[in-house]
Amino acid sequence: MKQPRFRRLGALPLAGIPHAVFATAFVLLYLFPIYWMFISGLKSTAEIFANPPTFVPRQPTLASFEYIFLRENVLRYLRNSLAIAIPVTVLTLLLGSMGAYAMSRLRGRLVDVALVLVLLLQVFPEALLATPMFIIFKSLGILNTFAAVILATASKTLSFALVILRPMFRQVPYELEEASFVDGCTPLQTFRLIVLPIMRVPLIVVGTLSFVQAYGQFVYAMTLMSQQELQPATVGIYSFVGAEYADWHRVMAFSSIFVLPILVLFLFLQRRIVAGLTAGALK
């Protein structure tokens, strides 16, 4: 039996070497800002502005990290960011899955119009929507609360979830639902026990991307919350940048701590995220 060519990992075809070199260079270029952020947090103030710049700190120091932990209470900022991101993710998955499932099973012009309106909502920038939301939440008496930022952010992530999940739900065979009805399941039981397990990977993708968007929320947090003890880490990083001076080594140290949860999340879920993003293209 003829053995396939280039079966071993080390046997890379000559034609594929340029592609491998290009892919490696692209990955290094993509990861360089993250590397620069981490090493800049280890530099002193003088070395930050050194010319030419140093790609490896001459005298690494943890003074910037000690400052943000002891003086700026970075853990409080991270806790506030999680207090916004987790509820937004739960609301997006709960309402987005039910809404997308309903839109995938209903037929008619009204559903198409609703989907177009959802797509239009994605076009408007947050800076444009912040002022009317400020007026609405002020009349409701929920300014300077996590609820205001959670609802404002969820309105953005929910529209994203509907657009992404609706075509995924349409790929679920309706015969499975009919069989569950024959077995005595209610529509809610069918959705919970049959449809949702099949949609596990797309839901993980939508939940992860919604979490990242809510975790990095800045505009709504700045507009709807003025109390410092409630502000998330994005606003905390912004406080290091002034009109005439910026503590760039502390900004980089703060940013390094801020992105760690996101890096860990993508590290653990990278295969499921890639599988979910390519599922629609492969079917």
Side-chain angles (χ1 to χ4, degrees):
M1 183 177 178
K2 187 177 180 180
Q3 297 294 327
R5 298 178 62 187
F6 312 118
R7 188 173 182 177
R8 291 179 290 107
L9 182 62
L12 184 67
L14 294 178
I17 292 179
H19 298 284
V21 173
F22 176 78
T24 302
F26 181 79
V27 171
L28 293 177
L29 183 64
Y30 184 80
L31 294 179
F32 179 76
I34 299 178
Y35 167 77
W36 188 258
M37 176 182 64
F38 277 104
I39 67 167
S40 297
L42 299 174
K43 294 180 180 180
S44 62
T45 305
E47 192 173 0
I48 281 284
F49 297 99
N51 190 15
T54 57
F55 293 93
V56 178
R58 298 192 186 99
Q59 296 180 344
T61 175
L62 295 176
S64 299
F65 290 91
E66 294 177 358
Y67 180 88
I68 64 173
F69 273 101
L70 299 179
R71 298 284 300 275
E72 293 297 328
N73 199 357
V74 64
L75 294 180
R76 183 194 65 197
Y77 285 114
L78 293 179
R79 183 179 66 248
N80 293 341
S81 294
L82 292 175
I84 294 172
I86 293 176
V88 167
T89 305
V90 173
L91 278 176
T92 301
L93 290 177
L94 181 63
L95 300 179
S97 59
M98 292 189 294
Y101 174 70
M103 295 178 69
S104 68
R105 292 296 181 257
L106 296 176
R107 299 289 187 271
R109 293 183 177 272
L110 186 60
V111 176
D112 296 333
V113 171
L115 185 61
V116 171
L117 293 177
V118 168
L119 289 172
L120 288 177
L121 184 61
Q122 288 284 322
V123 176
F124 297 108
E126 293 180 351
L128 182 64
L129 299 174
T131 301
M133 286 190 176
F134 179 89
I135 298 174
I136 294 173
F137 293 143
K138 183 179 180 180
S139 63
L140 295 176
I142 59 174
L143 285 180
N144 288 316
T145 64
F146 289 131
V149 182
I150 290 170
L151 293 175
T153 308
S155 66
K156 195 77 171 178
T157 57
L158 182 58
S159 59
F160 165 78
L162 292 175
V163 172
I164 296 298
L165 292 178
R166 179 176 179 263
M168 298 292 184
F169 275 113
R170 297 187 68 175
Q171 294 177 359
V172 178
Y174 187 68
E175 290 77 9
L176 294 176
E177 300 177 44
E178 291 178 333
S180 66
F181 294 150
V182 172
D183 292 336
C185 291
T186 64
L188 183 58
Q189 289 175 330
T190 300
F191 175 72
R192 182 170 57 89
L193 301 176
I194 305 298
V195 178
L196 286 184
I198 298 176
M199 292 289 296
R200 181 175 62 254
V201 174
L203 288 174
I204 290 176
V205 174
V206 171
T208 302
L209 297 180
S210 299
F211 178 86
V212 171
Q213 185 174 351
Y215 185 73
Q217 179 56 243
F218 175 76
V219 175
Y220 291 147
M222 279 285 292
T223 307
L224 304 176
M225 290 194 303
S226 59
Q227 298 179 9
Q228 186 177 7
E229 61 271 15
L230 298 178
Q231 292 173 341
T234 50
V235 180
I237 295 174
Y238 179 73
S239 64
F240 285 102
V241 181
E244 299 179 356
Y245 180 76
D247 293 330
W248 289 116
H249 56 303
R250 292 170 181 168
V251 169
M252 295 300 180
F254 203 136
S255 301
S256 301
I257 301 300
F258 174 67
V259 301
L260 276 179
I262 301 299
L263 294 178
V264 173
L265 181 65
F266 274 91
L267 182 64
F268 279 102
L269 298 178
Q270 57 178 335
R271 291 187 178 181
R272 294 184 179 273
I273 292 174
V274 173
L277 292 175
T278 57
L282 295 176
K283 290 188 177 181

